[in-house]
Amino acid sequence: MPLIAKNINMEYPGAIVFKDLNLEIADQQMIAVKTEVLDGGTTLLKGLAGMLDDIVGEVHLDSMDLLHMNAAQRAMTVGYVHEEQGLVSLYDCYQNIALPLQFHTMISDELVETRIFDLCEQFSVDRKLLSEYPHALNDVQTRMMNLLRALVIRPKLLLIDELEGGMSEEILEATIHSIRGKQEENSMIVIITTAHDFLLSEADRSYQIENKSLLEYL
């Protein structure tokens, strides 16, 4: 189930961010994109997922058209991990993680709980945090909750925006190891933007943003 992007153009008023971008990613691969501040990394992720308007080109995940699927289909196909924020402030962490399943599926509350508790165990997240509200979390805890919410749907495509912020080397390595484990359990492509050498080296392929396109990062 490869991801194939063809002739992608992304732009904001007065500024072209990506031009004639082509990318093919094999099933169960992890791709890292080296990014700098405001260089288009977040735009790339959201554009590939069909989360932005006026994207020209094609993005297909197997037979699925990511640029033209409806919001419900996207919510159950693409897991997006925000660099910061991303959680609904009125809900505690458990409710935030459960939200996509409760809103878009008929999965029982018992099965939702099982999925969430299993993810907590796999990613070494203390269950006590599930009753906390977003404002009480630090940066790393916020990223982990965003990651669990993205993974609870068992996505076909996982997009991670700057996971490493504030994480120790030990936590970062353990988190990537656990993501690899989820890839083995459920077929999933991972694309992560990062400035961290460890993530760039751990990926199956690494790219850098240059001249409004992606070039292999060596």
Side-chain angles (χ1 to χ4, degrees), residues 10-81:
M10 305 180 192
E11 61 180 277
Y12 289 121
I16 297 174
V17 184
F18 291 98
K19 182 175 177 62
D20 296 327
L21 185 149
N22 292 279
L23 181 66
E24 183 169 348
I25 306 173
D27 189 24
Q28 291 188 294
Q29 280 200 326
M30 179 181 290
I31 301 302
V33 179
K34 186 178 186 298
T35 57
E36 307 291 343
V37 177
L38 299 178
D39 67 351
T42 300
T43 300
L44 174 68
L45 295 184
K46 291 185 175 180
L48 292 175
M51 297 168 64
L52 300 176
D53 295 329
D54 302 323
I55 301 297
V56 176
E58 301 178 21
V59 183
H60 287 90
L61 183 62
D62 197 16
S63 60
M64 296 178 288
D65 183 347
L66 290 180
L67 298 186
H68 298 99
M69 63 173 44
N70 63 45
Q73 291 174 315
R74 183 174 294 107
M76 296 307 297
T77 302
V78 181
Y80 190 92
V81 184

Side-chain angles (χ1 to χ4, degrees), residues 17-18 32-45 83 160-164 192-197 200 207-211 213-215 217-218:
V17 184
F18 291 98
V33 179
K34 186 178 186 298
T35 57
E36 307 291 343
V37 177
L38 299 178
D39 67 351
T42 300
T43 300
L44 174 68
L45 295 184
E83 180 181 0
I160 308 176
D161 195 0
E162 298 280 353
L163 177 68
E164 68 267 18
I192 181 168
T193 60
T194 183
H196 201 288
D197 289 340
L200 292 166
Y207 294 89
Q208 60 186 346
I209 298 173
E210 189 172 320
N211 296 325
S213 189
L214 294 179
L215 301 179
Y217 180 74
L218 303 177

Side-chain angles (χ1 to χ4, degrees), residues 27-170:
D27 189 24
Q28 291 188 294
Q29 280 200 326
M30 179 181 290
I31 301 302
V33 179
K34 186 178 186 298
T35 57
E36 307 291 343
V37 177
L38 299 178
D39 67 351
T42 300
T43 300
L44 174 68
L45 295 184
K46 291 185 175 180
L48 292 175
M51 297 168 64
L52 300 176
D53 295 329
D54 302 323
I55 301 297
V56 176
E58 301 178 21
V59 183
H60 287 90
L61 183 62
D62 197 16
S63 60
M64 296 178 288
D65 183 347
L66 290 180
L67 298 186
H68 298 99
M69 63 173 44
N70 63 45
Q73 291 174 315
R74 183 174 294 107
M76 296 307 297
T77 302
V78 181
Y80 190 92
V81 184
H82 295 265
E83 180 181 0
E84 57 185 3
Q85 301 179 347
L87 301 174
V88 180
S89 62
L90 295 177
Y91 296 156
D92 65 27
C93 290
Y94 183 95
Q95 293 169 317
N96 267 283
I97 297 169
L99 191 61
L101 293 181
Q102 293 176 335
F103 195 76
H104 294 291
T105 77
M106 299 297 291
I107 293 176
S108 69
D109 291 341
E110 291 77 11
L111 185 52
V112 171
E113 180 179 87
T114 297
R115 283 200 188 184
I116 292 174
F117 286 176
D118 285 349
L119 284 169
C120 286
E121 181 176 354
Q122 291 166 342
F123 285 83
S124 301
V125 172
D126 190 339
R127 286 191 196 177
K128 292 179 181 178
L129 287 175
L130 296 175
S131 62
E132 297 287 354
Y133 283 79
H135 72 269
L137 304 179
N138 62 33
D139 289 347
V140 174
Q141 291 166 342
T142 298
R143 283 178 168 81
M144 293 305 296
M145 293 303 163
N146 272 308
L147 177 61
L148 298 196
R149 185 175 63 179
L151 286 169
V152 79
I153 65 169
R154 297 179 178 172
K156 300 299 183 185
L157 175 62
L158 180 66
L159 304 173
I160 308 176
D161 195 0
E162 298 280 353
L163 177 68
E164 68 267 18
M167 286 190 180
S168 67
E169 296 289 334
E170 181 180 5

Side-chain angles (χ1 to χ4, degrees), residues 176-205:
I176 291 301
H177 177 76
S178 296
I179 291 172
R180 286 291 198 183
K182 299 305 293 183
Q183 280 187 300
E184 294 176 4
E185 288 180 22
N186 304 294
S187 181
M188 177 176 68
I189 290 171
V190 179
I191 306 176
I192 181 168
T193 60
T194 183
H196 201 288
D197 289 340
F198 169 73
L199 296 181
L200 292 166
S201 66
E202 283 295 302
D204 297 301
R205 283 186 291 157

